[in-house]
Amino acid sequence: MTNERIQSKEGSSRYIALVTIIAALGGLLFGYDTAVIAGAIGFLQSHFQLDAAMKGWAASSALLGCVVGVSFAGLFSDRLGRKATLVLSGLLFLVSAVGTALPNQFSLFVIFRMLGGIGVGVASMASPMYIAEITPAGIRGRMVSVNQFAIVTGILIIYFVNYFIAFQGDEAWNVATGWRWMFASGAIPSAIFLALLLFVPESPRWLVEKGQTEKAKGILTKVGGISFAESEVRSIEASLGQEVESLGQLFKTGWRKVMFLGIALAILQQVTGINVFMYYAPEIFKKLGSGASAALLETIVVGVVNLSFTIIAIRTVDQLGRKPLMIIGAAGMCVSLVAMGLAAQFQVISIWVLICILAYIACFALSVGPVTWVILSEIYPTRIRGRALSVATFFLWSANFVVSQTFPMMDENASLVAQFNHGFPFYVYAAFCIILVLTIWKFFPETKGHSLEEIERFWDIPSSDSK
Ligand code: BGC
């Protein structure tokens, strides 16, 4: 009996791990596709003879695609299912990888880059949502964090791939052909993702919502055994009421509070500055006096630190809880940013700035990076989760777009430089870290160990609104 139980437990955790890893490949492609530009941008600029504004557009067009992608991903996933949404993102990645590698006109390149961005937008909400919906409460934080691990792994892999491709030829070869291989390389993980998706089931929560209870029960039995499946189905059914139809309705009903909190969290993850370092790290290092290849190496170090500390977050999020991790991590980011600002302002030797950047990345990877996605994927009730998560992710990508656009403007503004050297933007991001700490501390419940249906009840929704 004991043996049997152990075996079925082992079987189910293997099943959950397998399904989670496949879904998290959406996150890997998210990291891969957003970071590919870092290595290619210089060659693209020479190939298409881009001025500064067009160079910016080459980088930010994908982010605009992300905003578009999340705008319809929620509706799509609520109507057609979580699995179909993951397949859609895989197809978009594949088309974009091939499409960005071939064109001889810049406008065509941008169109395919935006398509890839749409894929990132879709995957950025569909992967964590799917994982949260298929895993039991006790390990849900860890499993959703696997998605963040996949994002940073994708970033690190493409840093290496770009580095490897760039070394296959001289500058002229890279300008003519090298950048094409960088983008085309994305076809391999996209095809693997699509093929593996054949093996994952539909989300049981979505199936119950669509009346396919028996099918859902079968999947949940594989996840946690028969009695787990029965109690989960009962609990999901109890939490389902009438569908909330329009987005406007989400903000008018008792869900308004959780809607605004999700949006605030999504925006705060971005305005605390992470992607300034993800997208501009080589530029920052070059400004601090590093040569081109040293800058590339330092960027890889950033990727390695990001990955290593994400592993710690995965191991601790279900024990320590979401709130302590977020508060400690965001406070650490704040201290690192202030130190970075002071070091830049008073022109302290560059090694200190590097140390501050690595400390900041470590704190982010430990907390705000993964835990934001964990919280966003678990705070909404099932029947609005798709659309609500889509709204939050829309604001996340919009904030990312604004931060990526405004960093160079703040960094190069003459009067700000006269007063603060290059320290000003870091102080701005530090101020947002304080707001993040206060928001988490005051407004968010601890969701560690609770089922999605229990979390739903935290919000104290009047029954007329929840039905
Ligand atoms: C963020 C991304 C960021 C990545 C870096 C994610 O949690 O949403 O915007 O690029 O972390 O590790």
Side-chain angles (χ1 to χ4, degrees):
M1 167 70 182
T2 326
N3 214 1
E4 228 178 78
R5 271 178 62 187
I6 291 170
Q7 270 180 3
S8 90
K9 223 177 150 205
E10 276 176 356
S12 66
S13 52
R14 221 177 295 138
Y15 181 71
I16 299 166
L18 200 74
V19 168
T20 299
I21 288 168
I22 296 175
L25 286 179
L28 186 135
L29 283 157
F30 159 177
Y32 200 98
D33 210 55
T34 44
V36 62
I37 198 75
I41 189 92
F43 306 130
L44 270 177
Q45 185 176 24
S46 307
H47 185 85
F48 289 114
Q49 311 266 296
L50 305 176
D51 62 15
M54 284 294 128
K55 184 182 176 184
W57 182 224
S60 66
S61 49
L63 298 178
L64 215 58
C66 296
V67 174
V68 175
V70 287
S71 306
F72 70 81
L75 197 66
F76 196 87
S77 73
D78 281 347
R79 294 275 149 82
L80 298 177
R82 314 324 196 196
K83 188 174 168 175
T85 310
L86 288 171
V87 170
L88 173 72
S89 71
L91 286 172
L92 286 165
F93 283 127
L94 188 61
V95 172
S96 162
V98 179
T100 42
L102 298 176
N104 287 319
Q105 291 127 322
F106 182 61
S107 52
L108 212 57
F109 168 82
V110 166
I111 289 171
F112 281 108
R113 194 72 193 124
M114 284 179 96
L115 274 186
I118 294 175
V120 174
V122 171
S124 67
M125 59 97 36
S127 289
M129 177 172 67
Y130 176 87
I131 297 168
E133 288 192 339
I134 204 151
T135 45
I139 54 166
R140 193 179 54 241
R142 203 179 320 157
M143 290 297 126
V144 176
S145 304
V146 168
N147 188 58
Q148 174 73 13
F149 177 75
I151 297 174
V152 297
T153 305
I155 294 176
L156 194 58
I157 293 176
I158 188 61
Y159 282 165
F160 278 116
V161 169
N162 281 348
Y163 186 74
F164 174 77
I165 292 174
F167 272 85
Q168 299 310 304
D170 57 9
E171 174 81 11
W173 178 83
N174 274 306
V175 169
T177 317
W179 65 269
R180 295 182 188 276
W181 283 110
M182 293 176 185
F183 289 105
S185 70
I188 299 171
S190 311
I192 295 175
F193 180 45
L194 278 170
L196 291 177
L197 277 177
L198 293 175
F199 300 99
V200 306
E202 181 49 88
S203 152
R205 283 186 165 71
W206 185 83
L207 287 171
V208 173
E209 206 196 339
K210 298 291 164 192
Q212 301 179 40
T213 312
E214 283 314 306
K215 218 168 162 187
K217 229 181 244 176
I219 297 163
L220 286 166
T221 305
K222 282 193 194 165
V223 169
I226 290 177
S227 55
F228 168 80
E230 278 170 356
S231 80
E232 280 284 291
V233 166
R234 268 197 305 277
S235 153
I236 296 169
E237 275 172 343
S239 78
L240 293 177
Q242 269 176 350
E243 275 239 333
V244 176
E245 282 305 329
S246 73
L247 275 184
Q249 232 179 313
L250 292 183
F251 287 94
K252 278 194 203 116
T253 62
W255 305 123
R256 187 171 31 210
K257 181 175 175 196
V258 69
M259 288 304 294
F260 279 121
L261 280 179
I263 291 172
L265 179 61
I267 293 176
L268 285 166
Q269 193 210 36
Q270 294 296 316
V271 294
T272 43
I274 182 62
N275 284 315
V276 162
F277 302 99
M278 291 295 114
Y279 307 157
Y280 292 97
E283 304 299 311
I284 294 174
F285 291 133
K286 275 187 221 156
K287 250 190 209 157
L288 293 172
S290 303
S293 66
L296 204 68
L297 202 68
E298 284 161 340
T299 304
I300 290 179
V301 174
V302 166
V304 170
V305 169
N306 200 358
L307 188 89
S308 315
F309 282 82
T310 303
I311 296 172
I312 301 178
I314 294 175
R315 299 179 77 98
T316 50
V317 66
D318 285 323
Q319 277 98 50
L320 272 183
R322 286 60 163 150
K323 283 182 80 162
L325 268 184
M326 282 296 263
I327 291 170
I328 295 167
M333 284 161 67
C334 181
V335 172
S336 315
L337 283 163
V338 171
M340 208 185 294
L342 290 171
Q345 180 170 356
F346 298 106
Q347 294 178 313
V348 180
I349 44 167
S350 64
I351 187 74
W352 281 111
V353 184
L354 176 64
I355 290 169
C356 296
I357 292 178
L358 293 180
Y360 167 88
I361 299 289
C363 292
F364 173 87
L366 197 64
S367 59
V368 180
V371 183
T372 297
W373 289 107
V374 172
I375 296 177
L376 287 179
S377 63
E378 64 188 8
I379 52 170
Y380 304 113
T382 295
R383 66 187 161 285
I384 63 161
R385 186 170 300 119
R387 266 159 296 171
L389 187 56
S390 178
V391 170
T393 319
F394 171 88
F395 281 95
L396 186 139
W397 285 112
S398 305
N400 185 1
F401 183 73
V402 172
V403 171
S404 310
Q405 286 296 305
T406 51
F407 171 71
M409 288 155 71
M410 287 195 277
D411 192 40
E412 285 159 32
N413 178 288
S415 71
L416 289 176
V417 171
Q419 257 184 294
F420 300 98
N421 281 319
H422 293 287
F424 184 77
F426 304 131
Y427 297 139
V428 174
Y429 307 141
F432 282 118
C433 287
I434 297 172
I435 299 177
L436 177 56
V437 169
L438 294 176
T439 308
I440 292 289
W441 178 52
K442 285 226 63 89
F443 298 113
F444 278 84
E446 177 57 66
T447 47
K448 170 186 94 170
H450 293 283
S451 77
L452 294 179
E453 287 68 33
E454 281 166 5
I455 295 171
E456 205 167 300
R457 277 177 241 129
F458 286 167
W459 303 108
D460 228 3
I461 311 292
S463 55
S464 60
D465 283 347
S466 67
K467 293 274 165 211

